[in-house]
Amino acid sequence: MEISLRARVRAGDPDAFWQLFDEHASVVHRHAVRMTGNWVMADDIVSLTFLEAWRLRERVFPGDDSLRPWLLGIATNVTRNTARAARRHQAALTRVPPPDPVPDFADEVTQRLADTEELAAAQKALSKMRRGEREVFTLCVWEGLDAATAAEALGVAVGTVRARLSRARKRLRKLTELELDGGTGGTGSTGSTGGTGSMNGRGGSRSTEGGIGQSGVQRPAAVGQSLGSRHQAARSTQEKKR
């Protein structure tokens, strides 16, 4: 009889943990990236998650179910602790004089620019949600867990997961509407067009080259008036001298 992966993990079989890592490391990493918005921190969370899984291996119940929810629950707790430690570290850094600036020549900045922008947009919306709602939304919507499985991963009741998910969807919808409303507005194009039309269009108050003005009176060109006046004045002076 073949021993299940759960039983082998519970027994501390190293090969079972290698198999567990191969099957779920990418899932844990993706979950960590979505939760933190930080690629480097996500790598650390993956390592800490599987270390914690090894430490908690005896809590795995026998059976044939996937260990994915169990790992995602551990990853969520590790993310909380990592974020808390990062905040403490950042607070400590604010009390230390800043080092001399060093230019950044990382090539990955260019390669991951599009992914970073998309991730930043998602993080901007998620950061405005409560932590519990954010965790439930990430597990149920992005990771595709059902309410019961997410409740098992987070250690809460199924009703709590459903309530948080409902609130999360409503808050995200509201944030999206606010973002759309904030991105639209009057550009003043009508007024600008009207001003242009009044200067150059039909019935415009300005005319060129002796055109017809708004009053309908034929206007001579300004340049012609100036030259004509000069010629007349010169001719009159010559006749008087004769």
Side-chain angles (χ1 to χ4, degrees):
M1 179 179 179
E2 184 179 357
I3 303 176
S4 67
L5 180 61
R6 278 178 169 266
R8 292 167 57 201
V9 168
R10 181 183 176 88
D13 184 354
D15 292 336
F17 265 86
W18 275 113
Q19 180 180 347
L20 189 69
F21 184 86
D22 290 339
E23 292 179 357
H24 300 291
S26 60
V27 175
V28 173
H29 185 269
R30 182 182 61 201
H31 177 65
V33 169
R34 288 170 170 173
M35 289 290 291
T36 64
N38 189 310
W39 295 90
V40 176
M41 187 179 295
D43 293 337
D44 294 338
I45 289 174
V46 172
S47 300
L48 293 173
T49 295
F50 282 93
L51 285 175
E52 190 69 4
W54 174 263
R55 189 179 70 86
L56 301 175
R57 62 187 182 277
E58 294 182 357
R59 299 185 183 181
V60 175
F61 295 105
D64 296 327
D65 296 336
S66 172
L67 287 171
R68 178 169 169 255
W70 179 63
L71 286 173
L72 290 176
I74 295 176
T76 301
N77 291 330
V78 169
T79 302
R80 293 176 189 169
N81 297 333
T82 304
R84 189 180 303 112
R87 288 193 297 268
R88 293 174 180 172
H89 178 69
Q90 187 63 33
L93 288 179
T94 58
R95 298 189 292 269
V96 178
D100 295 335
V102 178
D104 185 8
F105 299 102
D107 295 334
E108 293 185 1
V109 173
T110 302
Q111 298 174 356
R112 295 182 176 180
L113 180 59
D115 292 341
T116 301
E117 291 177 350
E118 294 176 358
L119 187 59
Q123 283 294 310
K124 183 178 180 181
L126 289 174
S127 64
K128 299 179 181 179
M129 300 168 57
R130 295 183 179 90
R131 187 189 70 184
E133 297 172 356
R134 183 169 60 251
E135 293 173 352
V136 168
F137 181 86
T138 303
L139 290 175
C140 292
V141 177
W142 278 346
E143 298 301 335
L145 300 186
D146 56 30
T149 308
E152 178 185 351
L154 295 175
V156 298
V158 177
T160 301
V161 170
R162 291 172 178 168
R164 290 178 181 177
L165 182 60
S166 177
R167 289 196 301 267
R169 291 181 185 277
K170 291 179 181 178
R171 285 178 60 82
L172 280 179
R173 188 181 301 112
K174 183 177 180 180
L175 290 173
T176 302
E177 292 174 354
L178 291 175
E179 184 70 18
L180 291 175
D181 291 341
T184 58
T187 59
S189 59
T190 303
S192 174
T193 304
T196 305
S198 64
M199 297 297 289
N200 300 324
R202 296 181 180 178
S205 60
R206 296 178 62 183
S207 59
T208 59
E209 299 297 331
I212 299 177
Q214 189 174 13
S215 59
V217 179
Q218 180 74 26
R219 297 180 180 178
V223 176
Q225 287 178 341
S226 176
L227 293 176
S229 299
R230 291 178 182 177
H231 291 321
Q232 292 176 2
R235 189 178 299 124
S236 298
T237 301
Q238 291 176 359
E239 289 177 355
K240 286 180 181 181
K241 288 181 179 181
R242 292 174 183 173

